[in-house]
Structures are given as structure tokens and as C-alpha cells.
Amino acid sequence: MMRHTLALLIVAASACSAKSSVLPEAQVGEAAAIHPVDNAYREKVIEFSAQMNPKGPATARAAYAAIDGGAESVEAQDLGGLAKARTWVDRFELFYEYKPLSNCVVTTIGPSSAALAKVQKALAASDAYENLLEDVKKLAGDEYTQLLSTMSPSPTDSERAAAAVQALLLRGQSDPERTAELTALSVSYAAAGTDGKCVASPKLMSIIKKKL
């Protein structure tokens, strides 16, 4: 279980930070929250988007321009509407915030099963544990139940934490429309077991919760 969880975390971190030949498909949802204008932050996100796709910077810049210009702007029309522009911004910002967190978690755990066990134990003892169980039952209940069925009749909190993180990752692999958000959520919970070494940013958590 522990080795499988570690392997999934490493794969998830690599998948979400690696260059992609195709930009993530924008999913139309309800109007996103207003994005405060922070030009320096926007430029960092735009620069980072090139790691996702060579066309990333152009798309990210157009999405920000659409939000600034409103629904009638040329950029909003070109992107298919203001809701899609906001979805693009959320997706680019999610990846920008997720990459350093995933790198931190993978580096902190390393190849050691002992280190992973320590993280799982710390997660089970953290304030995030109850929220993790609540989220996994809501978002990946089937996967979580299946993983628990392979354990002893009375799994420890540490084992439940490991199963919950793994269940979110597995659900993300089978749900293309929410892969990024579910993966980021699972790694954010893993980060809660690193004793403060890795911390998910408020912006990342805001985007995840909005999409899930």
C-alpha cells in the first residue's frame, strides 16, 4: 500500500508538471470568482504556461485580457465566452501553484517507504485528517471502499489516510474532466503530513474547491 501510494504520487507530480502536447480542455462551469488584478503574478503564470504547451502563453494572456475586457471583448469572443476564459485562467493558475507543491512533497518523501509512512502517520494526526476522509467519501468513495477492503478489518488511521490519498489519485486517473483538481487535492493532503515542509497555497486550495 505504501509503496503504491508513493509511486502514484511521483507519477501524479510528473504528469501535472510535465510538458503537454495538448492544452487541458476548458470546461465551462458557473462564473468563476473575480480574479484580483496582480500583473506580476499574471506574468509568472503566463511564463509558466509555456511548460504546458508552446501556445500556452498566448492563451493565458488572452484569457486574462478577456477577464479585464468583459464578455464583449474580442478575447472573450475568441475563447468562446467569459466563462471559458475564467476556466482557462483557473487551469493555468492551478498548474502554476501545484508544481512547486508536488515537487516539495516528492522531494520530502523521496524513495523511502519509511519517510512515506512518517508522512501518512503525521497526516492521520493532523487537523486535515477529518477533512480528507470527508472529501474522499464524497469524491472517491468507491475507490476508497475498495482499498479499505484489502486491509485488515480494523485499519489504523495512518492506513486510512494512505488509502484516502491513493483513492483520490485513482479517481483522478479515471475522471479526465477533473484529473488536475483531484490530483492536486490528493497531493495537498499528502503535504499536510510533511510537518510544514510543504504547504498548499490558499489560491491552489481555492481553485480546487471551486472546481470540485
Side-chain angles (χ1 to χ4, degrees):
M1 170 68 74
M2 290 190 298
R3 290 184 183 277
H4 192 198
T5 302
L6 176 58
L8 283 173
L9 284 172
I10 293 173
V11 169
S14 300
C16 285
S17 61
K19 294 182 179 179
S20 172
S21 60
V22 180
L23 285 170
E25 181 180 356
Q27 300 297 326
V28 181
E30 297 181 359
I34 296 175
H35 295 258
V37 175
D38 182 341
N39 290 327
Y41 178 81
R42 286 182 172 187
E43 287 300 322
K44 291 177 182 178
V45 173
I46 290 169
E47 181 180 357
F48 170 79
S49 68
Q51 297 183 34
M52 299 168 65
N53 186 280
K55 296 181 180 179
T59 303
R61 196 174 296 280
Y64 281 125
I67 290 174
D68 292 341
E72 301 303 318
S73 66
V74 173
E75 291 84 2
Q77 297 299 315
D78 287 345
L79 290 173
L82 194 55
K84 282 190 175 180
R86 286 171 171 159
T87 298
W88 278 116
V89 167
D90 282 341
R91 184 55 56 90
F92 284 123
E93 291 183 354
L94 182 148
F95 275 82
Y96 175 77
E97 296 288 339
Y98 172 81
K99 183 178 180 179
L101 178 67
S102 66
N103 288 345
C104 179
V105 170
V106 171
T107 299
T108 299
I109 296 175
S112 169
S113 293
L116 179 60
K118 182 178 179 180
V119 166
Q120 291 170 175
K121 184 176 181 180
L123 172 56
S126 73
D127 293 337
Y129 178 62
E130 293 301 326
N131 289 335
L132 168 60
L133 295 185
E134 182 178 328
D135 277 345
V136 75
K137 290 174 184 177
K138 178 178 67 175
L139 299 169
D142 290 345
E143 290 82 357
Y144 182 55
T145 299
Q146 176 61 34
L147 288 170
L148 289 181
S149 72
T150 66
M151 299 179 177
S152 63
S154 300
T156 65
D157 286 347
S158 179
E159 289 172 332
R160 289 181 181 276
V165 170
Q166 186 174 332
L168 289 170
L169 287 168
L170 291 172
R171 180 61 183 170
Q173 292 176 354
S174 64
D175 188 348
E177 293 188 1
R178 302 191 299 173
T179 296
E181 290 80 12
L182 286 164
T183 300
L185 180 62
S186 66
V187 176
S188 296
Y189 275 122
T194 63
D195 293 327
K197 295 183 179 70
C198 311
V199 180
S201 70
K203 180 180 282 291
L204 176 61
M205 296 310 299
S206 174
I207 296 171
I208 291 172
K209 292 298 184 181
K210 178 168 40 175
K211 297 300 181 181
L212 297 178

